[in-house]
Amino acid sequence: MNPRIRILGLSTSLLAAACMSSYAGVTLSIDTTTTQGSTSWGGSPAGTLAQSISTPNTQNSQDGGVSSGVIFKAGSSFTLGAVEIDEAFLTGGGNFNLVLYDFGSSYSLPAGNPVYSFTGSEVNLFTAGLNVTLTSANQFDVFLLSGADRVSINSGDSYWFGLVATDGSSLTWERGPITANQDIAVNGVAVGGAGTVLNNGGTGANRTPVAAFFAASPVPEPSIFALAGLGVTALLAFRRRSA
C-alpha cells in the first residue's frame, strides 16, 4: 500500500476517535465540592457558570415527582454545556430521560396551575432518549452534555429543563424562595404530548429550584487540532521523502 494512503488512513482513524466525544449524549457526574451551605456555585466540575437559578444555601424545602424540572427565563444567550441540581430524595431505580423545551420569549409563568399546557407541537431540544440513571439521594447531580445536546439558549426565552422517569421513579429537588419565572413543575404522566400539563408542586406556589446552568466552551477540543497537525506533518514528511 502507498505510504501516503496508509498514513492518511491512520490520521483519519485517529481524528474519528478524537471526535467521538462530540457525539450527542450526557454523562452524570457528582459535585463533591458544592454543599448545601455553599453561597455560590463553584463551577467545578460543570464549567463556566452561565445562570444560577438559586444558590445551594437558599434551599428550605423540597418538591418533585415522576416528572420534575425547572422553568427558567434565560438571562443571556449561551451554549448549554451542563446542568447541576441539588437532589434531595430519590425513589425507584433512578432512570430518567432529560428534556428541554423552549417556551419562547412571550411566555411568563402564571400564578396558578397549570403553569404550562402542551399543544403537541413542542419540540424537545435534546436528542430523543437522552438518559441518565441517578445513583443516590441527597447529592449535587451534574449532567454534562456533549455534541448536539449542547443546545443554544436564547436570552429572554423561557425554558423547561426536566427529568422524566422511565421506570416509575420519583425525584425530589431542593428548592428555595418564591421567584418569578422560575418553578419546579411536576407532572405524574409522560411530558410533551398534547393535553399534558406542567403543574406547580406542593402547595401550588411558584418556587425556585436549587439549580445552575453552565456554558460550554466555544473552542473545539485541543486533541482534535493536535491529531490533525500530526496527520498533516506526517503527510508532508512522506512528500519530501518521495520527492
Side-chain angles (χ1 to χ4, degrees):
M1 180 185 291
N2 189 309
R4 296 184 191 177
I5 296 176
R6 183 162 53 244
I7 198 67
L8 179 60
L10 176 61
S11 299
T12 302
S13 298
L14 290 172
L15 281 170
C19 291
M20 285 186 68
S21 61
S22 66
Y23 288 176
V26 62
T27 302
L28 173 66
S29 176
I30 308 303
D31 184 351
T32 57
T33 301
T34 302
T35 69
Q36 289 185 346
S38 300
T39 57
S40 62
W41 298 88
S44 178
T48 303
L49 180 64
Q51 183 167 348
S52 177
I53 302 305
S54 185
T55 54
N57 71 320
T58 61
Q59 50 80 29
N60 58 23
S61 60
Q62 302 84 31
D63 199 4
V66 174
S67 300
S68 56
V70 52
I71 292 176
F72 71 99
K73 186 174 286 291
S76 63
S77 296
F78 60 94
T79 299
L80 184 61
V83 182
E84 184 167 352
I85 69 171
D86 185 359
E87 177 193 339
F89 301 108
L90 177 68
T91 61
N95 196 265
F96 293 86
N97 283 339
L98 300 184
V99 295
L100 182 68
Y101 290 96
D102 184 353
F103 293 161
S105 59
S106 61
Y107 175 83
S108 60
L109 190 68
N113 289 324
V115 295
Y116 187 80
S117 296
F118 283 88
T119 65
S121 62
E122 294 84 358
V123 177
N124 177 16
L125 301 181
F126 288 150
T127 54
L130 184 65
N131 186 266
V132 294
T133 300
L134 302 184
T135 57
S136 182
N138 193 26
Q139 63 188 16
F140 284 87
D141 298 322
V142 181
F143 307 110
L144 297 164
L145 302 164
S146 60
D149 290 310
R150 291 190 165 190
V151 301
S152 296
I153 299 297
N154 300 317
S155 178
D157 280 11
S158 291
Y159 294 85
W160 186 66
F161 168 79
L163 290 91
V164 182
T166 63
D167 58 0
S169 296
S170 180
L171 169 66
T172 303
W173 292 15
E174 296 283 359
R175 65 183 185 181
I178 297 173
T179 306
N181 294 315
Q182 298 168 358
D183 176 66
I184 281 189
V186 182
N187 196 323
V189 296
V191 172
T196 61
V197 298
L198 297 177
N199 287 318
N200 289 317
T203 62
N206 298 339
R207 302 300 291 266
T208 307
V210 178
F213 297 84
F214 295 84
S217 171
V219 181
E221 296 182 15
S223 59
I224 295 177
F225 289 124
L227 287 170
L230 176 63
V232 171
T233 301
L235 285 173
L236 290 175
F238 272 105
R239 286 191 64 183
R240 293 192 187 99
R241 288 180 57 186
S242 59

